[in-house]
């Protein structure tokens, strides 16, 4: 099969998959005018300190989803990332919920994000300088798999900052899926595909990539 045809086939399959999936997202902040002027983005994946799915596997899956897309703006998936930047505990995750887990605490979430940016200012700016980037997309994901109870879910926040670490965009998402799967590896892959597709759809909405 010719490479050009294979790439087109992958893109078509991605579009078809995207059209069949929905994600419960809500935009918390959008500085659209400033966002449109950004020409290059780096993507940082932020996961729990001890994720159920290894970081390397999720990173690879995201790369597979993004690689067929046409880059309308330069987009780089950051590889190495220390824990201060790309790992979190319950108290410092961007996705902040009330004690009963029913209400998203938007004001507190912005405070957590601001503290994260302040505490990691030098490292975040260094990533942008080394890769000649105008902006960073911090993709925080909380994946949950229960093979015994046959469900999977994930919560995520996408936060975009400019070179000076001004926040340009924040959105959040939460979805739960019933599973009918006897193979744990296939269940894990299904969840990773949803995590990657959620990011791809938002990048497409923002005009960063095109599928």
């Amino acid at each position: 099969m010719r490479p050009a045809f294979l790439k087109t086939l992958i893109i078509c399959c991605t579009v078809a998959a995207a059209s069949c999936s929905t994600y419960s997202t809500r935009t918390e902040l959008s500085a659209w005018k400033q966002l449109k002027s950004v020409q290059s983005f780096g993507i940082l994946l932020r996961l729990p300190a001890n994720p159920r799915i290894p970081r390397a596997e999720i990173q690879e899956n995201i790369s597979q989803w993004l690689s067929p897309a046409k880059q309308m703006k330069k987009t780089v998936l950051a590889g190495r990332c220390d824990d201060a930047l790309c790992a979190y505990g319950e108290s410092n995750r961007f996705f902040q919920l009330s004690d009963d887990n029913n209400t998203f605490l938007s004001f507190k979430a912005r405070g957590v994000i601001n503290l994260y940016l302040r505490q990691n200012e030098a490292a975040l700016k260094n990533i942008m300088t080394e890769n000649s980037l105008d902006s960073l997309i911090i993709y925080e994901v909380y994946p949950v798999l229960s093979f015994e109870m046959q469900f999977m879910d994930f919560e995520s926040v996408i936060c975009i900052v400019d070179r000076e670490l001004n926040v340009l965009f924040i959105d959040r998402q939460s979805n739960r899926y019933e599973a009918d799967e006897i193979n744990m590896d296939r269940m894990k892959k299904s969840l990773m595909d949803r995590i990657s597709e959620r990011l791809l759809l938002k990048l497409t909405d923002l005009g960063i990539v095109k599928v």
Side-chain angles (χ1 to χ4, degrees):
M1 186 176 290
R2 290 178 299 173
F5 176 78
L6 180 59
K7 182 176 181 181
T8 302
L9 180 61
I10 293 172
I11 292 174
C12 290
C13 291
T14 301
V15 173
S19 66
C20 296
S21 299
T22 57
Y23 298 92
S24 300
T25 63
R26 177 165 178 170
T27 300
E28 297 292 330
L29 182 152
S30 180
W32 182 240
K33 184 177 179 180
Q34 294 92 322
L35 194 57
K36 285 203 306 183
S37 67
V38 176
Q39 296 302 312
S40 54
F41 298 85
I43 301 172
L44 290 182
L45 178 63
R46 194 168 188 250
L47 294 172
N50 296 296
R52 186 75 183 269
I53 305 174
R55 169 181 298 280
E57 292 184 34
I58 299 178
Q59 291 251 146
E60 181 182 11
N61 189 275
I62 290 174
S63 294
Q64 291 168 347
W65 276 81
L66 292 182
S67 61
K70 180 180 179 180
Q71 292 191 10
M72 309 305 290
K73 309 284 184 74
K74 176 184 174 182
T75 310
V76 176
L77 181 60
R80 294 186 305 166
C81 191
D82 62 34
D83 285 350
L85 293 182
C86 293
Y88 64 85
E90 192 62 31
S91 64
N92 68 339
R93 59 184 296 209
F94 296 168
F95 200 102
Q96 288 288 323
L97 291 174
S98 59
D99 290 340
D100 60 8
N101 289 329
N102 289 327
T103 304
F104 181 78
L105 304 177
S106 180
F107 191 76
K108 184 180 180 182
R110 294 190 195 193
V112 172
I113 290 171
N114 287 340
L115 285 174
Y116 167 86
L117 297 174
R118 194 178 308 148
Q119 292 166 356
N120 298 286
E121 178 179 1
L124 293 168
K125 288 185 174 180
N126 188 53
I127 290 174
M128 287 188 274
T129 300
E130 288 183 348
N131 294 280
S132 301
L133 300 171
D134 298 330
S135 176
L136 287 176
I137 300 169
I138 305 163
Y139 186 33
E140 180 189 278
V141 179
Y142 182 73
V144 177
L145 277 172
S146 177
F147 188 64
E148 297 78 10
M149 299 181 67
Q150 287 287 288
F151 82 88
M152 54 188 181
D153 65 30
F154 77 102
E155 298 163 343
S156 67
V157 172
I158 291 176
C159 175
I160 304 178
V161 299
D162 66 12
R163 271 183 168 273
E164 299 306 315
L165 302 184
N166 299 306
V167 179
L168 304 182
F169 181 87
I170 301 172
D171 85 346
R172 59 182 169 91
Q173 164 271 332
S174 179
N175 287 95
R176 179 182 174 115
Y177 307 95
E178 301 301 321
D180 184 15
E181 184 56 73
I182 60 173
N183 185 294
M184 182 61 176
D185 288 337
R186 286 201 295 264
M187 190 173 174
K188 183 171 68 173
K189 180 182 178 299
S190 177
L191 181 57
M192 288 193 296
D193 283 340
R194 293 177 187 274
I195 290 169
S196 299
E197 183 189 57
R198 138 74 168 149
L199 175 64
L200 176 65
L201 291 178
K202 182 51 61 178
L203 297 184
T204 303
D205 287 346
L206 295 174
I208 299 171
V209 302
K210 183 178 181 179
V211 297

